[in-house]
Amino acid sequence: GTGSSILSALQDLFLLSKSKVEKQLQIISVLQWVLTFLIMGIACTLILMYILCTDCWAIAALYLAWLVFDWNTPKKGGRRSQWVRNWAIWRYFRDYFPIRLVKTHNLLTTRNYIFGYHPHGIMGLGAFCNFSTEATGVSQKFPGIRPYLATLAGNFRMPILRDYLMSGGICPVNRDSIDYILSKNGSGNAIIIVVGGAAESLNCTPGKNSVTLKNRKGFVKLALRHGADLVPVYSFGENEVYKQVIFEEGSWGRWVQKKFQKHIGFAPCIFHGRGLFSPNTWGLLPYSKPITTVVGEPITIPKTDNPSQKEVDFYHSMYVDSLIKLFDKYKSKFGLPETEVLEVN
């Protein structure tokens, strides 16, 4: 009757409104992360300097004193917060794309691990969501394993940003930090290294599956020195969420990017996503394309205090083969044709 029709209409309206609210929350969650990635470090530094010049200078002075006292904490495993890692905002972040974490093998809590994450993409969205938050259930899928996402050490010199990063279990990608986690922090640790780094980000573009890996062997040497097992990780869709202007080798644009990469540690990219209010306009928001991160089978690595180049090359070759097999096994399941080949540069 009329009553049931009205009730049905109200239910449809409620569900529609709820869907719109959730979509807006997803957009807000991603926007705050993009702004954090791009400007939080510089913004917090400028704000702190401004406060020092005001009547509230004592607050800034106290924080700077704490900063000096706490300076080496990022090198010693950081200061993760399960509360921050479980924020509801990360679940909205996950659902925007959406992002999924796929486990293929169990990991022993009696071992330590180095995950090689590929590809870098523009911002490493999959790496952050899967390993610096609990949105995709990394602790449930790999019980007893503590993930540490490694990023540029320069980020930990920025006030406030350093504390925010550490709360998610993010650490500097330098030898001191990695040595500490793998040798003085017990077992069950997994350091996630985006192996291709800034160089790989320069070539990421939708429809392209390529990794910068042939001459990246430092992570293998670290694994041998600590007897940490290597785990290949591939994120299908990481390159699809932004469009980038690719400069050809030898062009002035690529020259500028490589100079930045060499002297500062990151390469400036010219990229765009969708607009804040419409997916049909350009903006800083990534496109809502699915990202599926597949964690492969661990490669058992022996502990060798001074590994030879021959040993490094051998296990590096094993790692490359394992990554290619992982890609080939899962590519058709996540939207790629069987003919797609992973390009290893």
Side-chain angles (χ1 to χ4, degrees):
T2 304
S4 61
S5 298
I6 294 173
L7 181 61
S8 178
L10 288 173
Q11 288 176 336
D12 290 344
L13 181 62
F14 173 76
L15 291 173
L16 182 62
S17 299
K18 185 180 179 181
S19 176
K20 285 184 176 180
V21 169
E22 287 187 348
K23 188 62 182 176
Q24 293 306 312
L25 289 173
Q26 291 170 12
I27 289 173
I28 291 169
S29 69
V30 175
L31 178 63
Q32 69 82 26
W33 189 85
V34 170
L35 293 178
T36 296
F37 183 91
L38 295 175
I39 67 171
M40 184 177 179
I42 295 173
C44 288
T45 302
L46 293 175
I47 291 170
L48 196 66
M49 291 172 63
Y50 171 76
I51 294 174
L52 279 171
C53 300
T54 69
D55 293 338
C56 298
W57 63 270
I59 297 174
L62 283 172
Y63 178 78
L64 289 174
W66 159 253
L67 196 62
V68 172
F69 174 77
D70 195 55
W71 190 253
N72 288 323
T73 298
K75 299 177 183 177
K76 296 180 179 179
R79 189 170 43 247
R80 74 174 55 220
S81 166
Q82 286 303 116
W83 176 65
V84 173
R85 287 176 60 89
N86 281 286
W87 277 352
I89 195 171
W90 305 132
R91 295 193 292 274
Y92 289 111
F93 181 95
R94 171 199 67 197
D95 294 340
Y96 173 86
F97 296 93
I99 296 174
R100 287 179 57 210
L101 179 65
V102 177
K103 169 186 174 181
T104 63
H105 291 79
N106 292 325
L107 299 181
L108 299 175
T109 57
T110 54
R111 301 285 293 173
N112 283 324
Y113 301 90
I114 293 180
F115 287 18
Y117 183 92
H118 313 269
H120 183 287
I122 295 291
M123 296 184 184
L125 293 156
F128 171 80
C129 185
N130 285 307
F131 302 112
S132 294
T133 80
E134 294 296 332
T136 56
V138 62
S139 293
Q140 286 73 45
K141 290 175 179 173
F142 300 103
I145 301 298
R146 292 181 297 275
Y148 293 86
L149 176 61
T151 188
L152 289 175
N155 289 322
F156 297 88
R157 301 187 188 105
M158 302 283 191
I160 310 299
L161 175 63
R162 68 188 291 278
D163 301 288
Y164 189 45
L165 294 177
M166 284 194 291
S167 69
I170 300 176
C171 68
V173 63
N174 58 30
R175 181 168 172 175
D176 289 344
S177 177
I178 294 172
D179 283 348
Y180 183 91
I181 293 170
L182 294 181
S183 63
K184 299 179 182 178
N185 201 40
S187 60
N189 302 292
I191 297 180
I192 297 90
I193 300 177
V194 186
V195 178
E200 192 172 84
S201 70
L202 297 179
N203 294 315
C204 70
T205 188
K208 186 172 185 179
N209 289 283
S210 66
V211 296
T212 301
L213 183 56
K214 279 183 180 178
N215 298 315
R216 299 293 176 109
K217 300 180 180 181
F219 73 106
V220 178
K221 191 171 184 179
L222 279 169
L224 283 162
R225 288 180 61 244
H226 293 285
D229 294 348
L230 288 171
V231 182
V233 180
Y234 196 86
S235 259
F236 295 89
E238 184 73 63
N239 285 346
E240 307 300 315
V241 296
Y242 279 111
K243 295 179 181 178
Q244 180 183 188
V245 177
I246 304 293
F247 293 101
E248 297 295 329
E249 289 292 339
S251 66
W252 67 270
R254 183 52 64 100
W255 180 83
V256 169
Q257 289 176 323
K258 286 188 173 181
K259 286 294 181 182
F260 264 84
Q261 178 191 334
K262 180 179 179 180
H263 297 293
I264 301 178
F266 75 93
C269 303
I270 299 177
F271 65 92
H272 74 84
R274 53 155 288 182
L276 181 59
F277 302 106
S278 171
N280 299 319
T281 58
W282 286 14
L284 288 176
L285 278 178
Y287 294 104
S288 52
K289 304 286 187 180
I291 298 174
T292 305
T293 303
V294 184
V295 180
E297 182 178 4
I299 302 167
T300 302
I301 303 294
K303 189 176 187 303
T304 308
D305 291 335
N306 294 296
S308 66
Q309 190 59 49
K310 185 177 180 181
E311 288 174 305
V312 171
D313 290 343
F314 173 76
Y315 284 103
H316 180 268
S317 178
M318 281 184 64
Y319 178 86
V320 173
D321 290 342
S322 183
L323 177 65
I324 293 172
K325 288 176 182 176
L326 180 71
F327 177 84
D328 289 339
K329 182 177 180 179
Y330 289 93
K331 60 186 177 184
S332 61
K333 294 181 181 180
F334 302 119
L336 297 178
E338 282 289 349
T339 54
E340 184 73 19
V341 175
L342 179 62
E343 182 182 325
V344 180
N345 298 314

